[in-house]
């Protein structure tokens, strides 16, 4: 549906668009004329959420956080628990005030108390103090869901019910830190008192909620901190015990020193081994030069004893020189050992000289020189042998130390990792605890809400609710009618206008016939004449286009009966006759036609024509004239034949092949069904004439576009 179609549809229903809103407005006025006046009071609270000051400085401007905080406050104000507490306090205040000043019971603000709370219940709820009265009211209302106070709280009472408190509205003022609370009631005093109580209850609940949350968090982190501290202490104790058990001062330093000492030991061992092997080779060569006699002499018991002593002294000196870390003691001991070694060497040399009875060796070398060389080499061999033994022993000790230290490192790293994790956990919990305590203090110092504008006592009512209801009801009636009309128009599946008919039927629309039941205004008659002339011009154009047969035969069909084909056929025949075109109209059977028509007309027996398969000549010969002047068939230019309905009636198929044009009349008020499409397709297969649609019963506004 286009916009112009919608406007036309609304234009046709102008009476409904006026009457329905008018009825709605009158009904609203009749039923709402006695509504009580409504008063409104408001208050303003400062929150400090967006730009307030806290322990950490100015509040950070975070849109999501700020919006969430304001949403929490607004929802807390409008929570059921807040409303119930306000109702309890309002009722308790009224009970206490009327008990202290009985004359107040006649005041308008105590109407609900007089009407809904019996005298016996008032005595039962009244306490010795206002606080005791409030406790009695709260306990009585929460005892069960069948007592009178519970029902009063959930009723439609304008003072003490949750429904009355539903008129409370809360909104943020722009992007500021301010909240505006507004409450409406039929009594101005109740309005201000209720808003005061709402503010008190809300501030108390907000403070308790915020501080309660932070207290719970602080308690949780304190417990977690104790647990983390115990785990850290246990890990440190385990580390201390492990180091004490394994004599570890600094594992990394100790392992590095052992590695350095081991490398130095290996290098020294290699050097000493080389010197030892070299000296031993030299000693062996000297022994060969001395011969057997001298060798036996040098192997005597006294010399061997002195050589063993020399070996021990060299071993002790090597141990002092290589591994003793106390420098002063090492120097004194080394000097002492070196003196003993020199003394022993001289003793060996003296013993050897005593047995020196030969001047020369077998090679002619003096024995005195060889013995001196032998003694020096022998001392070098013994010295290197002693060093080699000491270094080998120390190498074995290093290997044992390596095997001992290797697994200790892995265990120690595990203990250190445990300490590190426990320490990190402890520090994280400690940081969270400090942040929670800071947040708790920040909540206490900076999170308190403040009343900027206390609730005022309204003296004039708000805008008259009756006027607003009248406007809303009238507008609602108008919107309802518009929606109903447009909705029905959208759901309308009828053909309505030529454009829709052409799209749904799938055939070209030759023209339209206006609704004959419409008011025959001058505009209607003009459009009807134009639409008829359009159809006649199409017939004449095709009849005069060579090679056009004479006469030009036009068939008028409809799918069902009473779809306007007789009216169309009569109108076309009359218009052609008025234009001077020799026209003959044939109608099935003896249906009534307009007696005022001047166009020649014949009636043929449709059943006989269908059975006999008459062609046009036979059809005319057997037709009965109803209004005929002298007709000469060769002079007839246009023949209009109305056929029976396609659905259910027999057709004179003999004439179908002689048709030159077919007009299919379809009412604009009907829908196009698949069965209609099948019937038309069978008609198109039975004739070669083009089939065009004439939309009948079209409303005037639907034809303006097609005839403009």
């Amino acid at each position: 549906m286009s916009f112009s179609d919608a406007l036309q549809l609304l234009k046709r229903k102008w009476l409904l668009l006026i009457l329905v809103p008018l009825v709605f407005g009158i009904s609203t006025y009749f039923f709402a004329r006695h509504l009580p006046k409504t008063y409104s009071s408001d208050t303003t609270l400062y929150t400090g959420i967006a730009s307030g000051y806290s322990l950490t400085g100015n509040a950070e401007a975070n849109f999501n956080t700020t919006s969430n905080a304001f949403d929490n406050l607004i929802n807390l104000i409008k929570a059921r628990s807040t409303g119930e507490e306000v109702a309890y306090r309002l009722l308790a205040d009224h009970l206490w005030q009327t008990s202290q000043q009985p004359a107040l019971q006649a005041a308008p603000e105590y109407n609900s108390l007089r009407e809904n709370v019996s005298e016996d219940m008032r005595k039962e709820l009244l306490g010795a103090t206002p606080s005791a009265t409030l406790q009695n009211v709260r306990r009585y209302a929460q005892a069960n869901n069948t007592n009178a106070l519970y029902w009063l709280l959930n009723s439609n009472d304008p003072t003490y019910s949750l429904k009355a408190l539903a008129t409370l509205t809360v909104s943020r003022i722009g992007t500021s830190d301010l909240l505006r609370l507004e409450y409406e009631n039929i009594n101005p005093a109740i309005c201000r008192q209720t808003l005061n109580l709402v503010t008190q209850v809300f501030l108390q609940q907000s403070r308790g909620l915020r501080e309660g949350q932070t207290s719970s968090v602080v308690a949780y982190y304190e417990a977690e901190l104790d647990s983390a501290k115990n785990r850290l202490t246990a890990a440190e104790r385990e580390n201390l015990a492990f180091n004490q058990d394994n004599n570890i001062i600094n594992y990394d330093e100790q392992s590095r020193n052992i590695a350095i000492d081991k490398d130095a030991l290996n290098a020294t061992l290699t050097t000493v081994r080389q010197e030892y092997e070299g000296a031993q080779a030299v000693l062996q060569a000297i022994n060969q030069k001395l011969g057997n006699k001298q060798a036996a002499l040098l192997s005597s018991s006294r010399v061997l004893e002195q050589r063993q002593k020399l070996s021990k002294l060299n071993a002790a000196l090597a141990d002092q020189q290589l591994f003793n870390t106390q420098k002063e003691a090492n120097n004194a001991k080394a000097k002492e050992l070196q003196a003993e070694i020199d003394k022993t060497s001289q003793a060996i040399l003296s013993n050897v000289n005593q047995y020196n009875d030969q001047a020369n060796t077998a090679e002619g070398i003096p024995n005195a020189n060889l013995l001196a060389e032998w003694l020096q080499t022998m001392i070098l061999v013994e010295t290197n042998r002693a060093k080699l033994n000491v270094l080998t022993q120390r190498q074995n000790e290093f290997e044992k130390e390596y095997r001992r230290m290797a697994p200790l490192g892995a265990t120690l790293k595990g203990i250190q990792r445990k300490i590190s994790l426990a320490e990190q956990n402890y520090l994280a919990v400690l940081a969270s605890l400090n942040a929670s305590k800071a947040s708790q203090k920040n909540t206490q110092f900076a999170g308190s809400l403040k009343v900027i504008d206390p609730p005022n006592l309204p003296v004039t009512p708000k805008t008259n609710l009756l006027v607003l209801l009248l406007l809303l009801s009238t507008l609602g009636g108008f919107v309802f009618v518009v929606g109903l009309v447009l909705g029905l128009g959208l759901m309308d599946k009828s053909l309505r206008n030529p454009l829709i008919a052409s799209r749904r039927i799938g055939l070209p629309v030759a023209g339209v016939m206006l609704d004959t039941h419409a008011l025959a205004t001058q505009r209607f008659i003009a459009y009807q004449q134009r639409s008829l002339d359009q159809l006649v011009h199409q017939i004449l154009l095709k009849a005069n286009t060579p090679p056009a047969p004479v006469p030009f035969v036009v068939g008028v069909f409809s799918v069902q009966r009473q779809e306007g084909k007789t009216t169309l056929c009569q109108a076309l025949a009359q218009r052609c006759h008025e234009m001077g075109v020799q026209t003959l109209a044939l109608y099935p059977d003896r249906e009534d036609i307009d007696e005022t028509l001047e166009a020649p007309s014949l009636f043929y027996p449709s059943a006989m024509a269908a059975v006999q398969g008459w062609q046009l000549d036979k059809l005319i010969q057997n037709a009965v004239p109803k209004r005929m002047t002298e007709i000469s068939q060769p002079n007839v230019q246009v023949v209009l034949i109305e056929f029976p309905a396609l659905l259910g009636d027999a057709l004179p198929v003999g004439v179908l092949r002689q048709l030159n044009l077919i007009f299919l009349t379809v009412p604009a008020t009907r829908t196009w069904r698949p069965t209609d499409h099948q019937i038309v397709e069978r008609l198109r297969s039975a004739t070669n004439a083009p089939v065009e649609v004439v939309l009948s019963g079209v409303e005037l506004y639907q034809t303006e576009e097609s005839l403009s």
Side-chain angles (χ1 to χ4, degrees):
M1 180 184 294
S2 64
F3 180 71
S4 60
D5 292 338
L7 290 180
Q8 290 290 343
L9 189 59
L10 293 175
K11 183 178 179 182
R12 293 178 58 238
K13 304 297 181 181
W14 64 271
L15 189 58
L16 282 176
L17 292 174
I18 295 175
L19 289 180
V20 173
L22 184 61
V23 171
F24 276 31
I26 294 174
S27 301
T28 302
Y29 176 78
F30 179 77
F31 291 107
R33 66 185 185 277
H34 298 304
L35 285 177
K37 297 179 180 179
T38 303
Y39 295 85
S40 175
S41 180
D42 62 84
T43 183
T44 304
L45 301 179
Y46 175 76
T47 62
I49 293 175
S51 60
Y53 197 81
S54 62
L55 293 177
T56 57
N58 290 326
E60 296 183 1
N62 186 300
F63 177 78
N64 293 330
T65 304
T66 303
S67 299
N68 183 56
F70 275 104
D71 289 341
N72 290 338
L73 292 179
I74 293 173
N75 291 327
L76 181 60
I77 294 174
K78 304 183 72 173
R80 180 182 177 86
S81 59
T82 304
E84 290 178 349
E85 183 63 24
V86 170
Y88 297 154
R89 295 191 179 191
L90 184 61
L91 179 58
D93 285 348
H94 286 181
L95 287 172
W96 179 256
Q97 291 171 9
T98 54
S99 68
Q100 300 300 312
Q101 301 179 26
L104 292 177
Q105 294 187 14
E109 56 265 31
Y110 300 100
N111 290 338
S112 295
L113 181 65
R114 291 194 311 270
E115 296 173 0
N116 298 306
V117 183
S118 63
E119 187 67 28
D120 294 337
M121 184 178 294
R122 289 183 221 171
K123 293 179 181 179
E124 183 180 355
L125 296 176
L126 190 63
T129 61
S131 178
T133 303
L134 176 59
Q135 292 296 330
N136 292 339
V137 171
R138 188 184 293 117
R139 182 175 60 254
Y140 191 93
Q142 296 176 354
N144 53 67
N145 57 0
T146 59
N147 60 74
L149 287 188
Y150 181 85
W151 285 100
L152 178 62
L153 188 69
N154 294 276
S155 66
N156 294 325
D157 184 77
T159 303
Y160 306 116
S161 66
L162 293 176
K163 186 175 181 180
L165 293 172
T167 60
L168 175 68
T169 59
V170 187
S171 60
R172 182 183 179 186
I173 302 178
T175 57
S176 65
D177 286 337
L178 302 178
L179 279 180
R180 184 173 182 269
L181 283 67
E182 184 177 3
Y183 180 66
E184 298 178 1
N185 197 273
I186 59 176
N187 187 280
I190 293 294
C191 192
R192 181 176 66 173
Q193 185 180 9
T194 303
L195 199 54
N196 266 323
L197 293 175
V198 169
T199 305
Q200 295 173 13
V201 173
F202 163 64
L203 294 179
Q204 181 180 353
Q205 288 189 347
S206 176
R207 188 180 302 110
L209 184 62
R210 292 166 66 91
E211 293 180 1
Q213 288 178 342
T214 54
S215 297
S216 301
V217 173
V218 168
Y220 167 77
Y221 280 122
E222 286 178 345
E224 287 295 312
L225 185 66
D226 292 338
S227 178
K229 185 176 182 180
N230 293 335
R231 289 194 296 270
L232 179 60
T233 303
E236 290 176 343
R237 289 175 179 173
E238 181 182 359
N239 182 60
L240 178 61
F242 183 81
N243 288 336
Q244 289 176 344
D245 295 339
N246 295 279
N247 297 322
I248 297 176
I249 299 175
N250 187 330
Y251 178 83
D252 294 335
E253 194 69 26
Q254 287 180 257
S255 59
R256 183 169 59 253
N257 291 336
I258 290 174
I260 294 173
D261 292 344
K262 186 174 183 298
D263 292 339
L265 178 64
N266 290 334
T268 304
L269 183 62
T270 300
T271 303
V272 170
R273 183 176 286 114
Q274 292 175 352
E275 292 178 356
Y276 171 74
E277 291 176 354
Q280 197 172 22
V282 172
L283 182 62
Q284 185 177 2
I286 293 174
N287 286 335
Q288 290 177 356
K289 292 178 180 180
L290 288 175
N292 294 332
K293 183 176 181 179
Q294 284 77 7
L297 176 63
L298 296 176
S299 300
S300 64
S301 59
R302 186 171 181 82
V303 174
L304 289 175
E305 181 180 354
Q306 290 175 342
R307 288 181 63 180
Q308 291 176 357
K309 181 179 180 181
L310 181 62
S311 178
K312 292 179 180 180
L313 292 173
N314 283 324
L317 180 61
D319 185 65
Q320 288 292 324
Q321 292 176 344
L322 293 175
F323 303 112
N324 198 330
T325 58
Q326 297 181 358
K327 294 183 178 181
E328 295 181 358
N330 182 27
N331 292 334
K333 186 66 176 177
K335 290 179 180 180
E336 182 180 350
L337 290 173
Q338 186 63 46
E340 189 67 23
I341 289 171
D342 294 340
K343 181 179 178 182
T344 305
S345 299
Q346 289 297 327
I348 293 173
L349 182 60
S350 298
N351 290 330
V352 170
N353 289 332
Q354 292 178 3
Y355 295 97
N356 186 16
D357 55 355
Q358 294 182 356
N360 295 314
T361 63
E363 291 83 2
I365 301 173
N367 284 333
N369 295 336
L370 281 177
L371 288 176
E373 185 179 355
W374 175 84
L375 180 59
Q376 293 176 357
T377 304
M378 183 270 297
I379 291 173
L380 182 60
V381 168
E382 293 299 331
T383 301
N384 289 327
R385 181 187 291 119
K387 289 183 179 180
L388 192 60
N389 291 336
V390 171
L391 292 174
T392 302
Q393 181 180 1
R394 185 52 58 94
Q395 187 180 37
N396 293 333
E397 292 176 359
F398 272 118
E399 293 295 334
K400 292 180 181 179
E401 187 68 13
Y402 254 69
R403 287 192 295 271
R404 187 183 74 87
M405 293 291 288
L408 296 182
T411 305
L412 188 61
K413 285 188 178 296
I415 296 174
Q416 292 175 348
R417 186 163 52 250
K418 186 186 298 184
I419 294 174
S420 177
L421 292 176
E423 184 179 8
Q424 292 176 7
N425 186 27
Y426 176 80
L427 293 176
V429 174
L430 182 61
S432 299
L433 177 61
N434 292 333
S436 299
K437 287 185 176 180
S439 177
Q440 185 180 39
K441 292 297 182 183
N442 185 58
T443 301
Q444 295 174 357
F445 295 152
S448 58
L449 305 175
K450 299 176 180 62
V451 179
I452 304 300
D453 292 329
N456 60 302
L457 179 65
V459 294
T460 57
K462 291 185 65 177
T463 304
N464 196 343
L465 184 61
L466 181 59
V467 177
L468 180 61
L469 290 177
L470 285 175
L471 292 176
L472 290 178
S473 62
T474 304
L475 181 60
F478 181 79
V479 173
F480 170 75
V481 175
V482 171
L484 182 63
V485 171
L486 294 181
L488 293 176
L490 290 174
M491 292 188 294
D492 185 10
K493 301 300 181 182
S494 63
L495 300 177
R496 293 199 300 277
N497 57 49
L499 183 61
I500 296 177
S502 176
R503 184 172 63 250
R504 292 183 181 175
I505 298 175
L507 295 174
V509 178
V512 297
M513 294 292 293
L514 298 183
D515 186 7
T516 57
H517 298 91
L519 184 63
T521 61
Q522 291 183 356
R523 185 165 171 266
F524 174 84
I525 295 173
Y527 271 92
Q528 181 75 293
Q529 188 67 31
R530 288 177 60 185
S531 63
L532 186 61
D533 289 344
Q534 184 177 346
L535 291 172
V536 172
H537 290 160
Q538 290 189 41
I539 294 174
L540 296 179
L541 179 63
K542 294 181 180 180
N544 295 319
T545 302
V550 179
F552 189 80
V553 184
V554 179
V556 181
F557 291 81
S558 68
V559 177
Q560 299 178 3
R561 296 179 181 179
Q562 304 296 325
E563 291 191 341
K565 60 181 181 296
T566 302
T567 302
L568 175 64
C569 191
Q570 293 175 356
L572 291 176
Q574 181 64 22
R575 185 58 181 159
C576 289
H577 181 77
E578 293 174 353
M579 297 174 64
V581 179
Q582 295 293 326
T583 305
L584 176 62
L586 287 87
Y587 303 95
D589 301 323
R590 285 188 174 272
E591 297 182 357
D592 294 335
I593 64 172
D594 190 355
E595 295 291 342
T596 62
L597 296 179
E598 299 178 358
S601 301
L602 294 175
F603 287 88
Y604 65 91
S606 59
M608 184 66 69
V611 173
Q612 298 295 330
W614 290 342
Q615 294 187 355
L616 180 60
D617 294 341
K618 193 70 173 177
L619 198 68
I620 294 176
Q621 292 175 6
N622 291 278
V624 177
K626 182 170 184 179
R627 173 175 291 277
M628 291 277 299
T629 57
E630 294 183 359
I631 297 176
S632 177
Q633 184 178 347
N635 294 329
V636 175
Q637 296 175 288
V638 176
V639 176
L640 299 172
I641 305 176
E642 178 188 346
F643 286 82
L646 294 175
L647 184 61
D649 293 334
L651 298 178
V653 294
V655 188
L656 292 179
R657 295 292 180 181
Q658 296 179 281
L659 297 178
N660 303 117
L661 178 63
I662 294 176
F663 282 155
L664 178 66
T665 60
V666 181
T669 56
R670 64 168 292 184
T671 59
W672 190 254
R673 298 180 296 270
T675 54
D676 300 329
H677 181 73
Q678 295 174 2
I679 292 172
V680 172
E681 287 300 318
R682 287 199 295 267
L683 173 64
R684 296 179 64 186
S685 64
T687 180
N688 295 324
V691 180
E692 297 183 6
V693 175
V694 177
L695 200 62
S696 62
V698 181
E699 296 188 15
L700 180 61
Y701 79 95
Q702 297 281 11
T703 64
E704 293 179 351
E705 183 177 352
S706 61
L707 296 177
S708 59

